[in-house]
Amino acid sequence: MEEDNQLGFEFPGLGRRKIEANFAGGQVSSDGGVMLLRQVDRWLGFTKQLDRILPDRRNPLLIQHSQESLLRQRIYGLALGYEDLNDHDSLRHDLLWQTATDRTEELGSCSTLSRLENRAGRKEAGLIHQVLFEQFVESFSAPPKELILDFDCTDDPVHGLQVGRAFHGYYYDYCFLPLYVFCGEQLLVSYLRPSNIDPAKHAWAILAQLVSALRERWPEVKIMLRADSGFCRWKMLRWCESITSLASPRMSGSRP
């Protein structure tokens, strides 16, 4: 008789629903990674904080899907490569996806998710970044001695006639040109922009806001800017040099 020694392990359940991972077959989903995202999200409390800080002006008596479950559904979908909202017309029936968003019913349709996205604007984008910043700060058990802010932009190809799309000669495609700021492996800024602009556009303003916020939390921390030659602009370099010359606080701005 063959011995069954397959590995299995359990995730925290939902109500009376038991969540177990094994290789025994049965009702199969190809998106098992969504359960790992669920665990990371529970550990970070990211979607809970987003739901708490983002306004939801809907009448609670007339809704079927909470804002938190819609945020989880959309964010988990993006993380797993489901960029198009149309994908959720089938994903909403997947029991694994329902469990990952703490629901036992069908999830939101692409129309419901579209309304979620379209009611968000500049204010909501600022609030989301506030959550990212607070989680970054809370990840340190003690004030850091040095921080390196990495500025970079890349292409975000589009496949339709989205507002703001433009052809970019370097990437040789129609795309957006979002600006990202990382510190180590943690994302601080994700700023969507059209691609027919200077790659350094608004980078100085974002740098100034970040430094101001970081200085408010950690007055003595040494902050370094790291970027390529696309960010070598007089306004940015002059600001770095001016703030470096101050006795306190001090900042080290490295030229690309």
Side-chain angles (χ1 to χ4, degrees), residues 74 78 85 112-121:
R74 184 55 172 147
L78 289 170
L85 290 176
T112 302
L113 292 171
S114 178
R115 286 190 290 270
L116 171 72
E117 292 187 348
N118 284 320
R119 74 169 188 251

Side-chain angles (χ1 to χ4, degrees), residues 13 25 29-30 33 54 74 79 109 151-152 154 158 198 203 213 217 236 238:
S29 173
S30 61
L54 292 175
R74 184 55 172 147
S109 65
F151 277 64
D152 203 359
T154 189
V158 299
D198 181 349
R217 299 302 181 91
M236 204 163 189
R238 183 177 295 177

Side-chain angles (χ1 to χ4, degrees), residues 213-237:
L214 292 169
R215 288 289 179 206
E216 186 176 343
R217 299 302 181 91
W218 301 309
E220 302 300 325
V221 66
K222 179 182 179 181
I223 303 175
M224 299 184 66
L225 165 65
R226 183 163 58 189
D228 59 28
S229 59
F231 293 87
C232 188
R233 299 294 182 269
W234 69 267
K235 182 180 290 187
M236 204 163 189
L237 296 179

Side-chain angles (χ1 to χ4, degrees), residues 25-231:
Q27 193 167 19
V28 176
S29 173
S30 61
D31 291 322
V34 72
M35 298 308 301
L36 298 177
L37 283 175
R38 176 183 185 240
Q39 291 300 103
V40 172
D41 186 26
R42 284 189 165 192
W43 177 57
L44 294 175
F46 182 64
T47 52
K48 278 190 174 296
Q49 291 188 54
L50 287 182
D51 179 54
R52 191 180 303 117
I53 200 171
L54 292 175
D56 186 358
R57 301 178 182 86
R58 299 176 298 166
N59 187 335
L61 300 177
L62 302 177
I63 63 174
Q64 297 181 3
H65 307 282
S66 68
Q67 179 174 254
E68 184 176 352
S69 69
L70 292 176
L71 287 169
R72 287 177 178 172
Q73 182 183 350
R74 184 55 172 147
I75 292 172
Y76 295 174
L78 289 170
L80 290 179
Y82 295 107
E83 298 181 6
D84 295 333
L85 290 176
N86 294 341
D87 295 325
H88 289 272
D89 277 342
S90 58
L91 293 175
R92 64 192 299 242
H93 304 290
D94 191 315
L95 292 179
L96 194 62
W97 278 84
Q98 293 173 14
T99 304
T101 57
D102 289 342
R103 288 181 61 87
T104 56
E105 308 86 12
E106 291 183 352
L107 302 181
S109 65
C110 68
S111 299
T112 302
L113 292 171
S114 178
R115 286 190 290 270
L116 171 72
E117 292 187 348
N118 284 320
R119 74 169 188 251
R122 185 182 297 271
K123 176 182 177 182
E124 285 74 15
L127 292 173
I128 292 173
H129 279 89
Q130 181 179 331
V131 173
L132 289 174
F133 181 81
E134 292 298 330
Q135 289 200 336
F136 170 75
V137 172
E138 292 173 4
S139 68
F140 291 87
S141 58
K145 296 182 179 180
E146 178 180 287
L147 296 173
I148 301 177
L149 302 181
D150 287 297
F151 277 64
D152 203 359
C153 57
T154 189
D155 61 320
D156 181 11
V158 299
H159 307 286
L161 301 177
Q162 291 91 333
V163 176
R165 69 188 282 272
F167 185 82
H168 196 286
Y170 179 80
Y171 296 108
Y172 208 72
D173 203 350
Y174 286 91
C175 60
F176 296 110
L177 194 67
L179 173 67
Y180 298 105
V181 181
F182 283 88
C183 186
E185 296 183 353
Q186 298 196 61
L187 176 67
L188 291 176
V189 174
S190 175
Y191 178 37
L192 187 64
R193 307 174 300 173
S195 61
N196 57 346
I197 61 169
D198 181 349
K201 188 174 179 63
H202 299 148
W204 168 78
I206 291 174
L207 174 63
Q209 291 184 36
L210 279 176
V211 170
S212 176
L214 292 169
R215 288 289 179 206
E216 186 176 343
R217 299 302 181 91
W218 301 309
E220 302 300 325
V221 66
K222 179 182 179 181
I223 303 175
M224 299 184 66
L225 165 65
R226 183 163 58 189
D228 59 28
S229 59
F231 293 87

